[in-house]
Amino acid sequence: MKTQKTYKSVESKTSSVTFDFYANQGKFIYADLACQSVARWEIQDKQDYMVSLMLNTAPSKYILSHIKSCLTYAELTNDHDSIKYFEQFVDLYTYLNLDSNNRTLCIMSFVNDEFELPEGIYDVADEVYNITSENNKYSTLPLGLKNILDSRKITLEIYTNATQEDITRIFSVVNNGVSLNAAELRNPILTSVSSEIRELATQQRKLFLDAGVFTTKEMNRRKIDDYFAGLFMVYMQGLDAKITNTTLREIYLDPNANKLVNKYANEMRRFLKVVGKKISVFQRENGLLDLFTIYLDQIRLGKRLNNPKEFVSDFINVQIECIKDPVQYPYGKDGERSASYSGLLRSREIRFNRLRNTAVLKKFEASKYFVQLDTKRCGNNEDKLIAARDQGWITPEGVEIPMEDVLTSDFEIGHVIPYAEGGQTTRDNFVVQTKTDNRKLGMNPVQTA
C-alpha cells in the first residue's frame, strides 16, 4: 500500500522593524543559494530601491526563517534532514533569507557607502532636501533625511517551524509569477544533482566570467548552472541528449542521475583543468560542449589524455577551419533548411550537436592525443613472486627483497612502462619495488638498468 504524504502547515509571525534596526541585523541574515537567488541588482536597481525606501513606496515583505526556532522544531519532530540543514547555520546566523536577498544586500551596501543616492530634490515628510554629490552617501546625508530613512518601517514575515522542504516550497511560491528562469526554479530542488551542479557552477564561475564565456548578468541568472546541467545530460546520454527545460528538471529528480552526478562533476573539473585559460576562445559555449563530448568518448574507451595542450589547441584550430568553411549543413525534415558551422553553434539541439560533431571529426583525429590503458590494473601475488625472483631479489633501486617479506605491503608491483602511459599489466612489464620507491616514481618509467 502506498504511503500517503503528510502536509503540515507552517507557523510564521509578522513584525515591523526600522531600516536602522534591519541594517544592523544584516550580518546575521544568510541567503542560502540553494533556496534563494544570486544577487543580481545593478547600480540602477539599488538606487531605485533606496529612493523607494526613502519615499515610503517600497511596501513588500522581507521573508525570513528563524534558524534556531526551526532547528528546535526539527529536533522535536526528529526530522534528521532538517536538523543537519539548520545546524550548519545556527552558530553563525539568526535568520535565513527566503525572499529579499537583493533588497538586504542593497541596504547593507548603501549603509557601507558603496553607492550613492541619485542627485536631485527630495520632498520627504514635508521637508525639501537638495541632494548633491556632496551629501548623497549614507554617511553624508542631511541629518533630517537620514533620520527619516533610519525610521522607515520594514515588514518581516518570519517562519519559526519551517522544515528544509518547507523552505524550498516557500522560495518557489514567493517567486511564482516572477520572471525567474528555468535554471533558477530548478536550483532549490533538494537532490544531489541540484547541489552538485550548484557547487560546480560556483567553483567555475570566475573561470567562465574572466574568459567572457558568460556575462555577470548571465551568471547571476544561473546560465552557468543551466550549461553544466546540459553537459550532465550529454555525459549521461551522449549526443542523443535532448536538452530542454522539461528534460533538465526530470534529470534533477532522476534517481540514476543523482547516483552519477558526483562522477560527472569530478570529470568536468578534470576537463576544465585541461582546457584552462583557453576557455576564452569558446565564446560560443556549444563549442566547448563539442570538445567535452570528444574528450568523454575517449575516456570511456579506457584511455588517458597524454597530450592535453595539443588536444585543446588542435581542436580549436579545427573548429576555426569549420567556422571559416562556407559549407552549409542541411537540417530539419528532409534537409529543407541548412546552416553554416557557425550557425550550428547557436544551439544544443540533438541535430545541431550531431552535425557539428561529424564536421569536426572529419578533420580532428582525437585518438592520437590519448593512450590506451590496460583493462587490468594490478598483478597478483604470483606475479610478484616471479618478478622478485627474476630480479634476483633486488629492486631496481638496489634494495634487497627479503624472501619472507616480498608478499607484505612493504613491497609493491610497479610497471616498467607506467600504466598511465599505456604500459601493459603483464609479467614482462612488472617490477617489484619498495612501497616508498613505487609511490615516489609516479608516472615516470622504472630505470631497470
Side-chain angles (χ1 to χ4, degrees):
M1 182 177 177
K2 186 176 180 180
T3 304
Q4 284 189 317
K5 183 176 176 61
T6 301
Y7 295 90
K8 182 170 176 48
S9 63
V10 182
E11 301 300 322
S12 66
K13 61 180 181 180
T14 302
S15 63
S16 182
V17 300
T18 64
F19 173 91
D20 180 59
F21 178 85
Y22 191 81
N24 285 315
Q25 289 293 306
K27 61 185 177 181
F28 302 113
I29 300 171
Y30 180 73
D32 179 12
L33 296 184
C35 59
Q36 179 58 274
S37 298
V38 177
R40 57 173 183 257
W41 275 8
E42 303 292 341
I43 184 66
Q44 184 65 54
D45 301 312
K46 294 177 181 180
Q47 290 178 327
D48 289 346
Y49 184 67
M50 288 312 305
V51 170
S52 293
L53 274 177
M54 191 77 73
L55 301 180
N56 200 29
T57 56
S60 56
K61 288 182 180 179
Y62 290 47
I63 301 179
L64 313 172
S65 67
H66 190 265
I67 297 170
K68 191 171 183 179
S69 297
C70 290
L71 176 59
T72 300
Y73 178 76
E75 291 170 339
L76 289 172
T77 56
N78 205 29
D79 182 345
H80 296 293
D81 288 340
S82 294
I83 291 172
K84 183 178 178 181
Y85 179 70
F86 288 113
E87 277 183 340
Q88 62 185 320
F89 308 119
V90 70
D91 293 328
L92 301 172
Y93 305 100
T94 305
Y95 301 101
L96 285 181
N97 194 328
L98 306 186
D99 183 50
S100 63
N101 189 33
N102 280 293
R103 285 172 283 170
T104 299
L105 292 179
C106 175
I107 288 173
M108 300 301 293
S109 181
F110 183 66
V111 168
N112 290 328
D113 283 349
E114 294 172 0
F115 71 93
E116 307 83 18
L117 285 179
E119 297 178 31
I121 304 299
Y122 287 71
D123 187 345
V124 182
D126 298 326
E127 294 288 340
V128 176
Y129 301 91
N130 183 22
I131 300 300
T132 69
S133 61
E134 300 296 322
N135 63 356
N136 60 352
K137 287 189 175 182
Y138 180 73
S139 63
T140 61
L141 286 176
L143 183 60
L145 189 61
K146 185 174 183 295
N147 287 337
I148 290 172
L149 175 62
D150 284 342
S151 63
R152 286 299 188 208
K153 296 296 184 180
I154 291 175
T155 303
L156 310 179
E157 188 75 20
I158 303 173
Y159 287 89
T160 55
N161 70 337
T163 65
Q164 184 184 21
E165 183 180 4
D166 291 329
I167 285 175
T168 301
R169 185 183 300 113
I170 291 166
F171 170 77
S172 298
V173 169
V174 296
N175 287 289
N176 188 27
V178 180
S179 57
L180 292 181
N181 61 40
E184 290 172 313
L185 291 171
R186 287 193 303 269
N187 178 56
I189 296 174
L190 302 176
T191 64
S192 296
V193 172
S194 179
S195 59
E196 288 283 357
I197 294 294
R198 184 168 54 252
E199 182 178 357
L200 186 60
T202 301
Q203 290 174 347
Q204 304 301 330
R205 176 186 173 93
K206 187 176 187 303
L207 176 67
F208 278 75
L209 194 59
D210 289 348
V213 179
F214 298 126
T215 65
T216 300
K217 184 175 182 180
E218 288 173 331
M219 289 284 196
N220 290 343
R221 296 305 306 268
R222 295 197 177 277
K223 186 170 182 179
I224 187 172
D225 300 60
D226 182 78
Y227 181 62
F228 281 134
L231 287 177
F232 180 40
M233 292 197 66
V234 171
Y235 177 85
M236 291 187 65
Q237 301 171 13
L239 289 173
D240 290 326
K242 183 180 180 181
I243 307 171
T244 67
N245 291 334
T246 300
T247 58
L248 286 172
R249 186 173 181 84
E250 290 171 353
I251 283 291
Y252 271 56
L253 300 170
D254 179 72
N256 187 47
N258 279 280
K259 292 177 183 177
L260 291 174
V261 68
N262 180 255
K263 289 184 178 179
Y264 157 72
N266 289 332
E267 194 64 71
M268 178 55 66
R269 292 183 186 99
R270 285 190 286 270
F271 169 72
L272 291 174
K273 189 174 181 180
V274 168
V275 177
K277 292 185 177 180
K278 287 188 178 68
I279 194 173
S280 62
V281 177
F282 296 93
Q283 298 298 298
R284 305 288 290 275
E285 65 269 17
N286 289 324
L288 191 62
L289 179 154
D290 297 340
L291 182 59
F292 179 63
T293 302
I294 293 170
Y295 166 86
L296 202 57
D297 285 345
Q298 295 296 314
I299 294 297
R300 285 178 169 167
L301 289 173
K303 297 182 180 181
R304 175 185 170 274
L305 179 60
N306 69 338
N307 196 345
K309 288 186 178 179
E310 288 190 14
F311 172 66
V312 177
S313 297
D314 290 355
F315 174 85
I316 291 170
N317 284 324
V318 167
Q319 192 173 70
I320 292 170
E321 286 183 37
C322 291
I323 292 172
K324 182 180 177 182
D325 194 334
V327 68
Q328 293 288 306
Y329 298 87
Y331 68 90
K333 292 182 180 178
D334 301 320
E336 76 278 10
R337 287 177 289 175
S338 65
S340 65
Y341 182 87
S342 180
L344 295 176
L345 281 168
R346 73 176 186 267
S347 174
R348 57 185 181 180
E349 291 180 37
I350 295 174
R351 55 186 175 172
F352 286 70
N353 291 343
R354 283 201 168 278
L355 284 170
R356 292 196 311 272
N357 181 262
T358 300
V360 167
L361 290 181
K362 285 180 179 179
K363 304 177 181 181
F364 185 68
E365 187 183 342
S367 61
K368 72 179 185 180
Y369 307 96
F370 292 78
V371 62
Q372 182 68 56
L373 301 179
D374 198 327
T375 55
K376 184 180 178 183
R377 183 66 181 87
C378 300
N380 57 30
N381 282 342
E382 289 182 353
D383 298 322
K384 199 174 186 182
L385 287 169
I386 291 169
R389 194 279 312 269
D390 290 349
Q391 293 169 215
W393 303 96
I394 300 291
T395 73
E397 294 78 20
V399 178
E400 182 184 354
I401 306 173
M403 190 177 289
E404 63 272 20
D405 294 336
V406 67
L407 296 181
T408 69
S409 61
D410 291 339
F411 293 89
E412 295 181 343
I413 296 179
H415 290 71
V416 178
I417 300 173
Y419 174 82
E421 296 297 330
Q424 297 298 294
T425 306
T426 55
R427 287 177 179 173
D428 61 357
N429 195 44
F430 284 154
V431 64
V432 175
Q433 299 171 277
T434 66
K435 182 177 183 178
T436 300
D437 285 334
N438 185 38
R439 302 292 174 89
K440 184 170 59 178
L441 200 61
M443 291 196 301
N444 297 312
V446 175
Q447 300 299 320
T448 57

